[in-house]
Amino acid sequence: MSNPYDCITDFIFVETEVSAADVILVPGANHPQLMEKASWLYKNGMAPYILPSGGYKPHVGTSEWEYLRKVGITNGVPDEVILKEDEAQHTLENARFSLEVLQGKGIKYEKVIIVCKAGHSRRALLCYQDAFPKNTSFMVSPVEDRFGITKENWFTTEVGISRIMTEVEKIGKYFGDFIPKWVGR
């Protein structure tokens, strides 16, 4: 028999197969595992560009973009393939501003890989799906967050429960008003 929380797990945690794409997108955070994974994907030929996104955050002391860029360079990614978006303050802006960067540089975005924290994967995917054209194909390659939260264990700790239920709330707050627009697409 399934657990009552399995539907939350299935909804929040998104992970797909990953294949060659036009770009790897990384919604901002001061979480090195994000750029380590993006770097690994880049070095394994999954995309010619990485676009980390994120503006200045006081707790980081710099922009999330700059933080992630440094992690990428440390992991052997050439600076010239790390695209720049250093203004976004939340996930919807990560998506919207990243699309503007790609359009401004004339870089294709028909197939993209999103590298995000596992517990943030549904909200990140929804944000990018909203911002990007309907014909964009998304793949999601999540990483564990600094709390070690995964789809297999989130329900076993207070911090896991709190963080994932906050994601459920944020999805409702972010997207409740978007549904009529999505239906009209």
Side-chain angles (χ1 to χ4, degrees):
M1 181 172 170
S2 65
N3 296 300
Y5 50 79
D6 287 346
C7 61
I8 296 168
T9 303
D10 293 343
F11 176 65
I12 291 294
F13 293 88
V14 180
E15 182 170 8
T16 65
E17 294 278 327
V18 175
S19 61
D22 300 313
V23 64
I24 300 164
L25 303 171
V26 184
N30 63 332
H31 192 69
Q33 293 90 329
L34 294 168
M35 202 61 176
E36 290 165 357
K37 178 95 171 249
S39 300
W40 183 88
L41 291 167
Y42 167 79
K43 291 191 289 187
N44 282 277
M46 290 294 145
Y49 301 102
I50 302 174
L51 176 48
S53 171
Y56 178 82
K57 299 290 183 174
H59 68 278
V60 181
T62 186
S63 68
E64 292 171 325
W65 174 81
E66 181 62 27
Y67 176 87
L68 293 168
R69 176 186 156 275
K70 287 178 181 175
V71 173
I73 290 168
T74 299
N75 280 273
V77 177
D79 197 26
E80 62 271 13
V81 305
I82 301 174
L83 305 175
K84 184 176 185 177
E85 191 300 293
D86 65 350
E87 299 294 326
Q89 293 298 309
H90 53 74
T91 312
L92 279 169
E93 287 184 351
N94 292 137
R96 292 171 182 160
F97 297 171
S98 291
L99 177 61
E100 290 174 8
V101 168
L102 295 172
Q103 289 172 330
K105 294 192 170 293
I107 295 171
K108 285 188 345 180
Y109 45 84
E110 293 169 11
K111 277 181 75 175
V112 301
I113 299 168
I114 301 170
V115 175
C116 57
K117 293 179 274 186
H120 182 233
S121 56
R122 177 62 66 187
R123 182 161 54 102
L125 177 60
L126 286 168
C127 288
Y128 284 90
Q129 285 175 320
D130 179 69
F132 278 62
K134 193 174 183 178
N135 65 338
T136 303
S137 175
F138 294 94
M139 296 167 277
V140 180
S141 186
V143 300
E144 283 184 28
D145 69 9
R146 66 178 43 91
F147 301 101
I149 296 171
T150 66
K151 68 187 280 184
E152 291 80 23
N153 72 11
W154 73 268
F155 45 85
T156 64
T157 64
E158 285 185 36
V159 70
I161 293 166
S162 174
R163 292 187 69 82
I164 296 309
M165 295 314 293
T166 298
E167 279 297 314
V168 171
E169 291 173 18
K170 283 183 177 181
I171 289 168
K173 287 178 184 172
Y174 267 53
F175 301 108
D177 295 336
F178 285 50
I179 294 172
K181 179 181 82 167
W182 292 343
V183 171
R185 275 190 172 185

